[in-house]
Amino acid sequence: MAWGIDDLVEATKLLPPVNEMKDANNTPVTSKQIPSRGTAFAILAHAYAWLAGFGEEPEYYQKGIDAATEVIQSGDYSLVNNPHEICEIVLPGNSQEGILEIDFLNPEAVNRSGSGLPGVTQKWPADPNATPSTRRTLLRLNNESAMAMFPDRNDKRREEYFYKLDSMAGVKTSITQGAAYIYKFRRPLLHTSGSQLGKLLGYDLNEILIRLADIYLLRAEMRAKSGDTPGAIADLNVIRKRAGAKEYTPDENLEEAIALEREKELFLEGICTRYFDIVRNRTFREKLRGKFKTLSDQDVKDGALFFPISFDAFQNNTKMTQNIYWKRNGFAI
């Protein structure tokens, strides 16, 4: 991790701010896939959070807080006004809130109707060819789970991330299958010719890896763990206020409130965001199911919480060795 930190620190010195990015032809760069100074500071904040949390080196929390503050106070990024704009402006890509994204030249090639999070979590009403009774056979979330996740009825994310969460819960389960209608990803792309004319092709969206709300909540997490309770509450409330949700109250466990807020705000974004948050904060035994609950400290040290190295990797590098835990559990080459 040390070499990565060194490279990121150097990048914060060498890269220009996002609004000053230009290509070889001196044309302004608008894609958030191209790293800027803010990108480097944002990744650096995450790296320090991992060293402090999963790495159990709490002295890095302040460095992480400082890196996050550089992003927040730079003036280069700003939160959109509400959850509706998250869905309509931020998720399509390259917004004022976006920091690091995968910017697809041909979004239909990746965000196909049957792949990518939009494709595997949504049917009706995002898919104009679907109906309320169209079966969702891949990832689905029960109404009860969605409501438990967003218990505050004033939280605008209830009606933006889901389609009519409350009223659709009253529809017969023979139609809804008892599941909430996820509706976070908009801009469907339809086939314009051929036998599939008019059918869903994919979604015109970027993959949002880091946005400003993520950095606010990451700083809240680090502030809470380093004893800056007022600072952590202030950051948490920035995101809650934007969502129209109630502000933090002293009867809540602050660290858990921040963790849950990250789950709510970043729902279905990034790459396994919730899982890696849980790993970073070492709450996997409490929050994950199955054998996660029985992992020993040695299992974790040996790499149980990370994927085994794939067979193809060994074909490309014969000197590579398998993760210790997975080698012990049958994944040796």
Side-chain angles (χ1 to χ4, degrees):
M1 179 69 81
W3 62 266
I5 294 290
D6 290 343
D7 284 351
L8 286 167
V9 170
E10 189 67 14
T12 66
K13 300 173 183 176
L14 297 177
L15 291 172
V18 65
N19 296 322
E20 297 178 16
M21 297 280 288
K22 294 184 179 181
D23 64 16
N25 296 317
N26 207 36
T27 302
V29 172
T30 58
S31 173
K32 296 296 178 70
Q33 179 167 298
I34 309 303
S36 66
R37 181 178 300 163
T39 313
F41 272 120
I43 299 173
L44 189 59
H46 273 279
Y48 282 134
W50 274 88
L51 279 173
F54 185 76
E56 297 183 309
E57 299 182 70
E59 63 271 19
Y60 284 103
Y61 278 129
Q62 188 56 55
K63 287 182 177 291
I65 292 167
D66 292 342
T69 300
E70 288 283 351
V71 178
I72 293 168
Q73 293 186 352
S74 68
D76 295 330
Y77 309 95
S78 59
L79 298 172
V80 295
N81 294 316
N82 51 55
H84 179 72
E85 292 188 356
I86 293 172
C87 298
E88 297 287 349
I89 297 175
V90 177
L91 297 182
N94 300 319
S95 72
Q96 66 202 54
E97 188 166 328
I99 297 175
L100 177 62
E101 309 175 7
I102 300 175
D103 194 345
F104 301 112
L105 291 176
N106 298 300
E108 69 277 6
V110 178
N111 294 319
R112 296 190 302 274
S113 59
S115 67
L117 279 173
V120 300
T121 60
Q122 299 185 165
K123 292 293 185 181
W124 181 83
D127 182 349
N129 298 292
T131 71
S133 59
T134 299
R135 189 162 188 83
R136 284 150 287 170
T137 56
L138 297 173
L139 297 179
R140 60 194 296 276
L141 187 68
N142 289 339
N143 271 308
E144 294 85 352
S145 299
M147 290 178 175
M149 186 177 183
F150 293 90
D152 183 352
R153 286 180 173 268
N154 293 317
D155 191 329
K156 297 174 185 176
R157 292 169 298 194
R158 286 171 62 99
E159 295 299 317
E160 291 297 334
Y161 290 6
F162 304 93
Y163 184 76
K164 297 184 177 180
L165 180 62
D166 295 302
S167 61
M168 292 305 296
V171 177
K172 294 179 181 179
T173 56
S174 59
I175 295 175
T176 68
Q177 302 130 50
Y181 292 88
I182 297 170
Y183 190 44
K184 189 172 185 179
F185 305 102
R186 319 285 169 82
R187 294 198 181 185
L189 296 168
L190 306 180
H191 287 274
T192 58
S193 63
S195 61
Q196 300 295 307
L197 178 66
K199 293 187 177 181
L200 184 65
L201 172 63
Y203 292 86
D204 186 11
L205 301 168
N206 280 3
E207 185 77 48
I208 311 301
L209 302 180
I210 305 176
R211 57 183 172 95
L212 188 57
D214 173 355
I215 298 301
Y216 266 107
L217 292 172
L218 184 69
R219 187 172 71 170
E221 175 187 305
M222 293 187 287
R223 281 176 161 176
K225 290 182 179 297
S226 60
D228 180 7
T229 297
I233 293 172
D235 284 340
L236 172 61
N237 282 338
V238 166
I239 304 306
R240 285 191 174 183
K241 286 179 184 178
R242 197 259 297 265
K246 71 174 184 177
E247 295 185 31
Y248 173 82
T249 56
D251 62 316
E252 299 177 73
N253 178 295
L254 181 56
E255 289 188 21
E256 182 60 15
I258 293 166
L260 291 174
E261 199 65 28
R262 285 184 60 83
E263 289 184 18
K264 290 186 282 188
E265 177 67 20
L266 305 175
F267 177 63
L268 295 179
E269 293 181 41
I271 300 174
C272 302
T273 299
R274 178 178 183 267
Y275 174 76
F276 285 117
D277 280 358
I278 288 170
V279 172
R280 183 178 65 250
N281 290 306
R282 290 183 170 267
T283 54
F284 51 89
R285 294 189 183 96
E286 295 80 13
K287 295 188 174 183
L288 299 180
R289 300 176 182 177
K291 293 186 177 181
F292 286 105
K293 294 185 176 299
T294 58
L295 289 175
S296 68
D297 290 342
Q298 188 61 49
D299 289 336
V300 173
K301 184 177 180 180
D302 290 344
L305 295 172
F306 302 99
F307 290 116
I309 298 170
S310 72
F311 176 79
D312 289 343
F314 293 103
Q315 303 306 300
N316 295 326
N317 183 352
T318 57
K319 293 186 181 296
M320 186 172 287
T321 58
Q322 183 58 272
N323 176 309
I324 296 172
Y325 173 85
W326 293 106
K327 183 176 182 178
R328 189 165 68 239
N329 285 273
F331 279 81
I333 60 169

